[in-house]
C-alpha cells in the first residue's frame, strides 16, 4: 500500500511538470521507514538529523522526467 501511495505522488508530480516545475519529492521519514524510502530511491538530505526520530529524505525526479520525455519523443 505504501509503495502504491508513493508511486501515485511521483506520477502526480511528473504530470504537474507541464504546468509548474517539480524537481524533488521530500519526506520526513520515521526511522522505522528509512529502508522503505531508500529502496524507492530516496536519499538523505543531510547527516545533521542522523539518529533523530525522523530524517529528511528526497527523491530527484529529473531522471524520471528524462525517461518519460525520451519515451514520448
Amino acid at each position: 500500500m505504501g509503495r502504491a501511495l508513493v508511486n501515485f505522488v511521483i506520477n502526480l508530480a511528473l504530470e504537474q511538470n507541464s504546468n509548474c516545475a517539480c524537481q524533488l519529492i521530500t519526506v520526513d521519514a520515521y526511522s522505522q521507514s528509512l529502508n522503505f524510502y531508500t529502496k524507492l530511491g530516496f536519499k538523505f538530505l543531510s547527516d545533521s538529523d542522523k539518529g533523530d526520530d525522523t530524517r529528511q529524505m528526497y527523491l530527484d525526479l529529473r531522471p524520471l522526467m528524462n525517461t518519460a520525455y525520451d519515451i514520448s519523443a
Side-chain angles (χ1 to χ4, degrees):
M1 182 61 103
R3 183 180 296 267
L5 289 171
V6 172
N7 285 335
F8 174 79
V9 171
I10 290 169
N11 289 328
L12 182 63
L14 292 172
E15 289 173 9
Q16 291 302 313
N17 269 312
S18 62
N19 298 323
C20 61
C22 182
Q23 181 176 332
L24 301 174
I25 295 176
T26 62
V27 295
D28 291 331
Y30 288 107
S31 57
Q32 63 267 27
S33 302
L34 297 178
N35 287 333
F36 170 77
Y37 285 109
T38 301
K39 288 178 185 177
L40 292 176
F42 283 77
K43 298 185 183 337
F44 296 106
L45 193 60
S46 74
D47 286 332
S48 64
D49 56 359
K50 201 171 193 175
D52 290 351
D53 291 338
T54 61
R55 301 252 348 241
Q56 293 181 335
M57 300 181 80
Y58 71 94
L59 178 67
D60 188 350
L61 295 174
R62 288 178 297 177
L64 297 174
M65 288 186 285
N66 294 336
T67 301
Y69 178 77
D70 290 341
I71 292 171
S72 65

